[in-house]
């Protein structure tokens, strides 16, 4: 079922991925920012942050109220392209504990339609530690499938790093080429663990050269895959620069 409006269909994502291995499992990185695991027919998405705009509004800071629908339309394009049997959302799917309850009826119906006939797993995050209300799906703190463990925050314990797939940090990377600086959201991995970029429309990014990443990747030995237009751009850490 194609859920995108006609004016959006020409921008639908194409399911061509950059394949890598994490803990012996072959998975695909996609320029939309999602992870595709073909052997499990599973899409993994991090940090949707639905209803971030309305969350800010409750505190008197007015933002354009279109973040949730923009994220939903992007998500619908991914679903139409890949048609997964399972979806894993890696936490911070809603920007606060009441976010799922604030979903407008139209958006709730659209999300519910995306969930039809699919296994849907909500991993809890620091922004959304409780199960979403009036939505289908299983809520877990973390889940392990076939050698990969899906959680929200990366662990600093090396014993837990093998096969870890997570979000939380909203990784972004910056490169300088031909006198220009380019900064993009990115995947970051050392082949043992993988951190996904934030998928939501109103999410910023933290430079992977920031100290927050140092405990996760020994001696900054990792690769970053920058999101581009219809492709990914891979760089080793040695090619990246700080903000």
């Amino acid at each position: 079922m194609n859920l995108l409006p006609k004016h959006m269909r020409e921008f639908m994502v194409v399911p061509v991925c950059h394949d890598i291995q994490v803990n012996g499992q072959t998975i695909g990185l996609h320029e939309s920012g999602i992870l595709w695991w073909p052997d499990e027919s599973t899409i993994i998405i991090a940090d949707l942050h639905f209803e971030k705009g309305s969350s800010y509004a409750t505190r008197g800071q007015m933002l354009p109220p279109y973040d949730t629908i923009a994220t939903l339309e992007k998500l619908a394009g991914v679903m139409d392209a890949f048609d997964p049997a399972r979806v894993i959302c890696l936490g911070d799917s809603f920007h606060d504990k009441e976010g799922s309850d604030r979903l407008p009826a139209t958006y709730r119906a659209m999300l519910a339609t995306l969930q039809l006939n699919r296994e849907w797993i909500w991993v809890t995050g620091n922004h959304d530690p409780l199960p979403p209300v009036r939505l289908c799906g299983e809520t877990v703190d973390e889940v392990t499938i076939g050698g990969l463990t899906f959680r929200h925050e990366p662990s600093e314990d090396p014993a837990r790093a093998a096969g870890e797939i997570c979000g939380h940090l909203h990784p972004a990377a910056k490169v300088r080429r031909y006198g220009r600086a380019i900064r993009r959201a990115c995947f970051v991995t050392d082949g043992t663990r993988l951190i996904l970029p934030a998928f939501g429309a109103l999410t910023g990014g933290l430079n992977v050269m920031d100290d927050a990443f140092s405990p996760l990747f020994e001696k900054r030995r990792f690769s970053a895959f920058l999101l581009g237009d219809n492709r990914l751009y891979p760089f080793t850490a040695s090619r990246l620069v700080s903000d």
Side-chain angles (χ1 to χ4, degrees):
M1 179 185 300
N2 195 315
L3 296 177
L4 291 176
K6 289 182 179 179
H7 72 281
M8 289 291 295
R9 290 176 189 169
E10 62 181 294
F11 301 112
M12 282 177 60
V13 294
V14 178
V16 176
C17 294
H18 186 113
D19 289 342
I20 65 168
Q21 283 204 335
V22 174
N23 202 33
Q25 299 293 324
T26 300
I27 51 180
L29 314 180
H30 189 259
E31 57 88 17
S32 65
I34 64 96
L35 183 66
W36 170 237
W37 192 5
D39 289 350
E40 293 286 337
S41 187
T42 297
I43 278 176
I44 301 96
I45 306 166
D47 298 280
L48 291 158
H49 282 272
F50 287 134
E51 292 303 299
K52 181 174 182 177
S54 66
S55 179
Y56 274 64
T58 63
R59 301 194 296 271
Q61 185 175 350
M62 299 305 174
L63 296 175
Y66 310 117
D67 57 300
T68 296
I69 188 58
T71 302
L72 277 170
E73 287 183 344
K74 182 181 174 185
L75 182 59
V78 167
M79 294 299 177
D80 282 330
F82 287 91
D83 192 23
R86 179 195 293 130
V87 176
I88 301 175
C89 298
L90 294 178
D92 286 3
S93 300
F94 297 88
H95 191 68
D96 59 45
K97 291 184 290 186
E98 293 78 33
S100 60
D101 205 29
R102 288 198 310 275
L103 273 177
T106 302
Y107 299 173
R108 183 180 301 280
M110 186 174 182
L111 181 54
T113 302
L114 292 177
Q115 293 182 304
L116 287 175
N117 299 315
R118 292 187 171 103
E119 180 184 0
W120 198 284
I121 299 175
W122 301 103
V123 175
T124 58
N126 56 297
H127 281 264
D128 56 355
L130 302 175
V133 299
R134 290 180 288 151
L135 286 169
C136 297
E138 177 187 6
T139 300
V140 298
D141 291 330
E142 62 180 56
V143 61
T144 298
I145 302 169
L148 298 179
T149 297
F150 303 91
R151 58 174 63 103
H152 178 60
E153 296 189 36
S155 173
E156 294 187 13
D157 181 357
R160 304 184 73 204
E164 180 181 78
I165 308 294
C166 55
H168 180 62
L169 290 176
H170 300 204
K174 185 176 182 179
V175 295
R176 295 188 186 277
R177 301 189 70 188
Y178 311 115
R180 295 180 56 206
I182 300 173
R183 190 180 194 275
R184 296 287 182 91
C186 69
F187 298 91
V188 57
T189 183
D190 59 359
T192 298
R193 62 151 49 99
L194 172 71
I195 305 176
L196 274 69
F199 191 86
L202 269 186
T203 51
L206 179 65
N207 194 308
V208 294
M209 304 306 287
D210 188 271
D211 288 343
F213 289 89
S214 296
L216 308 177
F217 299 104
E218 183 181 2
K219 297 180 180 179
R220 296 195 184 277
R221 291 174 179 166
F222 62 81
S223 294
F225 295 82
L226 280 65
L227 307 190
D229 297 327
N230 301 313
R231 60 167 292 185
L232 296 173
Y233 295 86
F235 291 91
T236 59
S238 62
R239 299 283 305 279
L240 306 176
V241 297
S242 302
D243 288 330

